[in-house]
Structure formats: C-alpha cells, structure tokens
Amino acid sequence: MSAAAIRAHNYRGWGLGAAALPGFQRALGALAESFDHPAPGTQRDRQIRPMEWEGRTYYVKYYASPTLKARLKSLFNHSKAHNAHRCARRLRRVGIATPRVLAHLQRGRWAHPPEHLLVTEGVAGQTLRATLRGPISTPHRRALVRALAAFLARLHDAGVYHGDFSAFNIMAQLTDPARPSWRVHLIDLDAVRSLHWIPQRRQIKNLDELGRSFLRLKEVSTQDRLRFLHHYAQSRRGRRLPLRQLKERVCRRTARR
C-alpha cells in the first residue's frame, strides 16, 4: 500500500488507508487543534488522544519540540515522532505486534518550533495492568504469563530494548477464551531502542521493570512471577542466562530498587 500526501488543518505529511481519505483528514485537523501547546523550554512534549471515525478507534499522538535540542533533532528527522515511526516499522517487520502507523504529519520547521502528529490504528483489548486487575481465572492468567514471557523473549531476540517497560504500555487481547489464548501488543514506542545485541544488564532491567509493575497486585503471585521468568528463559533463542542465575539477578535488582 503506497502512501499519499495528506493535509490536516495546517499540518502536512503522508497517510495510508483511511488516513488518506478527506473525511479522516478533516476529523484529524479538528482534533489537532485541541492539543495543549507547551511553552518554549518546557519538558512536556507529548500528548495522546483517541479519535473515533466511522465506527473505528484511532490514536493520535502529538509531539512538540519546545527545547532547542528537540528542534535540532526534528530538522534532521530524528525527532521522537520520527523515531517512534521507525521503531514501529522495524517491530512489525520482525514479527512483534504493535499498532500500525497510518499517518505522520508535521507543521513548523525553521522559524516555528516543529510539531508532529503520529496516527496509529487502535488495537483490541486493554492494558496489561487493567487485565490483571480485572476478573481473570487461573488458567487464563497462566496463559497470559506464558504469552507475555514469549513476547518479551521475541523482543530481546530481535535486538529490541525498551527503556521504560511496564504493564501500562502493553495491550493484552484474549483471542480464544476456550483454549485460552492471548495476543500481546507493545503500544508505547517512545522509549524503544533498537540494538544488534542487548547486554544482560538491560535484559534484567526489562524483566525487573515488568515484575515491579505487579508487586502491589494481589492477583499476581510470586509463583506467577517465577513462572514468567521460567517461560522467558525457555523461549529465548539467543544468548541467555541459566534459569537459576536469571531468577537471582532479577530478584536482587527488584529488592534493591
């Protein structure tokens, strides 16, 4: 599918699929004007809002460039919006589930601070944290633990490191209640770093960050967290630590943090 030049209010860029339609662009332009524009020099540079159009949900992320460093990065196509788009393409190319980017638009470049809009498809399900807080049977919870461990193992095997891995930036969708079977999506790509090889300390950091997301959840037991590490170790194809050493290092980092 080829991209088409699109315009939404005074933003210009490219769009695929529904984003290339005039009605979608009008709705996007109206939403774009509702974002709060940060004052120069502030650090608050991202906002996200859902957009309903013809019975489907899309998500629009607004990126500002309030600092001089952010403006310089945008000039050379290294803004956070550019990086998120590149990460989304790479993840989908290696088989990691993440929402598809439908449009990338920009306004301002030289005299005015650049602002970007990134439009992605909505994905079914709810955040991992919300899923585990809700009613969930033991078989469904254990199947989710396995699916999540396999997902993170694929991420690390593909050489992808997430700098802020938590239960808030993962979506979980129950695809087959009878089996049960889950589909996991990574939805926040701003902290994704693509590397050829991930050091063990960064693998441990991701495992610890995700584990600490659940420390206050009664629904997730210590056994569930240990099962998660066990399935993660089994699912890894690349270089990996022995299971006992993996558990010791993750638990030690969690206790220290």
Side-chain angles (χ1 to χ4, degrees), residues 12-191:
R12 296 174 183 270
W14 59 264
L16 299 169
L21 300 177
F24 188 99
Q25 294 170 46
R26 286 193 294 270
L28 178 59
L31 179 65
E33 289 307 294
S34 69
F35 286 108
D36 301 321
H37 304 294
T42 62
Q43 296 298 319
R44 186 170 180 269
D45 59 352
R46 283 163 289 178
Q47 302 168 56
I48 186 168
R49 292 182 186 171
M51 187 182 91
E52 301 290 334
W53 190 74
E54 293 195 349
R56 297 192 63 179
T57 302
Y58 302 86
Y59 286 89
V60 181
K61 198 160 191 176
Y62 165 81
Y63 295 83
S65 303
T67 65
L68 178 59
K69 181 180 179 180
R71 294 178 68 174
L72 290 174
K73 284 186 174 183
S74 184
L75 289 176
F76 295 99
N77 293 335
H78 287 291
S79 69
K80 292 178 179 178
H82 286 104
N83 290 338
H85 176 219
R86 281 192 287 265
C87 284
R89 286 192 303 178
R90 170 149 193 245
L91 290 177
R92 292 178 67 87
R93 198 161 52 238
V94 298
I96 304 297
T98 192
R100 186 165 66 116
V101 176
L102 292 182
H104 182 190
L105 303 93
Q106 177 180 341
R107 70 176 178 185
R109 189 167 181 85
W110 301 105
H112 301 284
E115 299 171 78
H116 299 262
L117 297 178
L118 206 63
V119 183
T120 62
E121 291 179 326
V123 295
Q126 55 185 350
T127 66
L128 181 61
R129 190 169 181 86
T131 301
L132 290 170
R133 279 189 180 276
I136 182 171
S137 67
T138 298
H140 284 73
R141 186 180 67 249
R142 291 181 180 174
L144 179 56
V145 167
R146 289 193 298 271
L148 182 62
F151 177 80
L152 184 55
R154 288 199 307 274
L155 204 67
H156 286 170
D157 284 338
V160 179
Y161 164 72
H162 199 291
D164 185 25
F165 204 59
S166 76
F168 292 104
N169 50 36
I170 298 171
M171 292 287 285
Q173 176 193 6
L174 183 63
T175 57
D176 187 354
R179 292 181 55 181
S181 177
W182 294 85
R183 182 171 173 80
V184 179
H185 287 80
L186 186 63
I187 58 172
D188 184 357
L189 306 184
D190 291 330

